[in-house]
Amino acid sequence: MKERAFITLTNGFKDKLFRLARRLLVSNEEAEDATQEILLKLWRNKSKMAQYKNVEAFAMTMTKNYCFDRLKAKQANNLKIVHSNYKDEQASLQRQVEAKDSLDWVGKIMDDLPEQQRMIVQLRDIEQYDNAEIAKMLELNETAVRVALSRGRKKIREELLKKHNYGVV
Amino acid sequence: MELSNIEKLLEKYFEGETTISEERELKVYFTRETVPSHLEKYKNLFQFFSEESTIMATQDLKLNTGRKFRYSWIGIAASVALIAGMFLLKPAPTPSEPVDTFEDPEIALQETKKILNMVSQLMNEGKQELVYLNEFENTTKELIK
């Protein structure tokens, strides 16, 4: 496979890989690195690419595993991932900024979910994959995906209600 | 779409039983400007989802194809050239046996003696300058008995 063809192929789902990595690793930079790493790995194994039925799903699985490895390494090192994606929580006068803030709240709530639910909500509600695809990507069965999805969504709703009613999360 | 329908869809949504197209309907509904006040809280959620899906990776993929390969060949060529050079350019070993410069051994002995004499004479001349060093010897002898 030629470089050009590979890039056009991966451009179709590169952003999805990035967003999944970002959801798991939180930091933008870490997620960029993860995406590069996954794509380079794919490129190195390009001779085997024809054997994969669905390159995109395969890349998603790779991303998941890579991110888990990164998180585990961080835990072992007792290092926190340093990131600056969170906005400053200071009250703002402008309505627009406030709206942006409340969107960030959803992001924060989501980042507090257990990793599996977080990934599933990400893949389903943001990337709009169906449950069967998600099950394949995450190496789970479909029922488990549906249950985790429902739990994740309910948890988000619960936290959102708290925030909505009392202004705290 | 009517309100009751949306509420039903929301219920299904949280049970994880909506289809992708139903979810898309919800997304479209909640990204509108006006939403009834009791559903206001879900607006953020769906807006967040549709906003998140627009985030893009900024780095471009760099595949260093070919270049690595070319450089490795240069390295191999250089080492081959070096080794070949070492073998090819090594000068033929020179005979280490000294060549006689005098025909008659008697004359050779005399010449050698002459040179050795000259050397010892020069050395003695040099040694005379070292007499002053005896001074150091004297002082240490006084101190260390």
Side-chain angles (χ1 to χ4, degrees), chain B residues 72-140:
Chain B
S72 67
W73 275 113
I74 289 178
I76 292 168
S79 49
V80 166
L82 194 71
I83 292 166
M86 271 163 63
F87 280 109
L88 292 178
L89 300 180
K90 196 176 166 194
T94 46
S96 51
E97 204 128 309
V99 192
D100 288 340
T101 42
F102 291 96
E103 287 298 312
D104 192 351
E106 204 60 36
I107 301 171
L109 183 67
Q110 274 175 19
E111 280 297 312
T112 315
K113 272 184 177 168
K114 215 165 89 188
I115 291 168
L116 288 175
N117 257 329
M118 192 184 77
V119 170
S120 68
Q121 202 183 333
L122 285 173
M123 260 180 70
N124 284 335
E125 262 174 43
K127 251 173 79 180
Q128 278 168 10
E129 300 291 312
L130 296 176
V131 168
Y132 305 113
L133 284 177
N134 280 337
E135 208 54 34
F136 289 111
E137 202 84 334
N138 292 340
T139 44
T140 44

Side-chain angles (χ1 to χ4, degrees), chain A residues 3 6-7 10 14-15 18-19 22-23 32-33 35-36 39-40 43 95 99-100 102-104 106-107 110 121-122 124-131 146 149-151 153-154 156-157 160-161 164, chain B residues 10-24 27 37-66 68:
Chain A
E3 198 175 328
F6 179 80
I7 286 177
T10 52
K14 186 177 132 201
D15 293 332
F18 171 69
R19 289 193 290 259
R22 188 170 168 275
R23 181 64 56 214
E32 292 274 11
D33 286 353
T35 318
Q36 294 282 319
L39 292 180
L40 281 178
W43 172 247
R95 184 86 181 85
K100 179 83 185 91
S102 36
L103 288 193
D104 282 343
V106 183
M110 220 174 138
V121 172
Q122 167 82 21
R124 173 79 193 211
D125 280 333
I126 296 175
E127 311 298 357
Q128 303 187 334
Y129 287 115
D130 64 38
N131 285 2
R146 198 179 56 76
L149 179 65
S150 165
R151 280 197 194 138
R153 283 171 174 175
K154 280 179 178 162
I156 294 176
R157 174 173 66 175
L160 264 184
L161 284 180
H164 192 76
Chain B
L10 264 181
E11 212 40 59
K12 261 175 89 184
Y13 170 79
F14 284 110
E15 290 305 323
E17 278 159 0
T18 39
T19 61
I20 295 278
S21 64
E22 282 170 334
E23 279 164 27
R24 216 167 280 152
K27 249 176 232 178
S37 60
H38 68 289
L39 294 179
E40 186 82 25
K41 50 186 175 282
Y42 299 122
K43 222 179 137 179
N44 283 336
L45 182 64
F46 289 100
Q47 264 176 12
F48 173 77
F49 287 151
S50 42
E51 200 159 290
E52 278 293 293
S53 63
T54 57
I55 293 174
M56 285 193 285
T58 48
Q59 270 181 33
D60 277 327
L61 182 62
K62 280 175 230 86
L63 301 169
N64 43 356
T65 47
K68 213 172 81 188

Side-chain angles (χ1 to χ4, degrees), chain A residues 7-169:
Chain A
I7 286 177
T8 19
L9 174 74
T10 52
N11 269 348
F13 54 82
K14 186 177 132 201
D15 293 332
K16 291 181 182 176
L17 300 184
F18 171 69
R19 289 193 290 259
L20 178 66
R22 188 170 168 275
R23 181 64 56 214
L24 285 170
L25 301 172
V26 182
S27 148
N28 264 338
E29 289 73 23
E30 286 264 355
E32 292 274 11
D33 286 353
T35 318
Q36 294 282 319
E37 198 61 39
I38 298 301
L39 292 180
L40 281 178
K41 256 187 209 164
L42 266 184
W43 172 247
R44 262 181 254 130
N45 292 324
K46 58 182 181 298
S47 51
K48 288 190 218 139
M49 201 107 97
Q51 295 165 24
Y52 308 142
K53 277 184 226 118
N54 185 344
V55 180
E56 180 172 340
F58 183 74
M60 280 290 187
T61 312
M62 274 171 81
T63 310
K64 181 204 79 175
N65 291 335
Y66 181 83
C67 290
F68 277 4
D69 284 350
R70 295 294 300 163
L71 288 172
K72 219 181 266 173
K74 295 274 168 199
Q75 245 164 16
N77 286 339
N78 206 12
L79 276 176
K80 275 232 160 223
I81 297 177
V82 183
H83 56 84
S84 50
N85 300 357
Y86 286 150
K87 293 281 176 296
D88 199 2
E89 276 334 307
Q90 280 184 344
S92 155
L93 293 174
Q94 284 162 313
R95 184 86 181 85
Q96 225 175 358
V97 180
E98 253 172 47
K100 179 83 185 91
D101 261 3
S102 36
L103 288 193
D104 282 343
W105 274 114
V106 183
K108 268 195 176 182
I109 292 168
M110 220 174 138
D111 287 342
D112 283 339
L113 290 178
E115 273 145 16
Q116 190 160 314
Q117 292 174 18
R118 211 192 306 171
M119 281 191 299
I120 291 174
V121 172
Q122 167 82 21
L123 293 175
R124 173 79 193 211
D125 280 333
I126 296 175
E127 311 298 357
Q128 303 187 334
Y129 287 115
D130 64 38
N131 285 2
E133 284 174 310
I134 296 173
K136 216 166 88 192
M137 283 170 194
L138 303 186
E139 296 152 322
L140 296 167
N141 66 47
E142 274 186 58
T143 328
V145 171
R146 198 179 56 76
V147 170
L149 179 65
S150 165
R151 280 197 194 138
R153 283 171 174 175
K154 280 179 178 162
K155 180 80 184 146
I156 294 176
R157 174 173 66 175
E158 201 181 297
E159 297 291 325
L160 264 184
L161 284 180
K162 266 194 221 164
K163 163 80 178 146
H164 192 76
N165 295 340
Y166 317 116
V168 286
V169 170

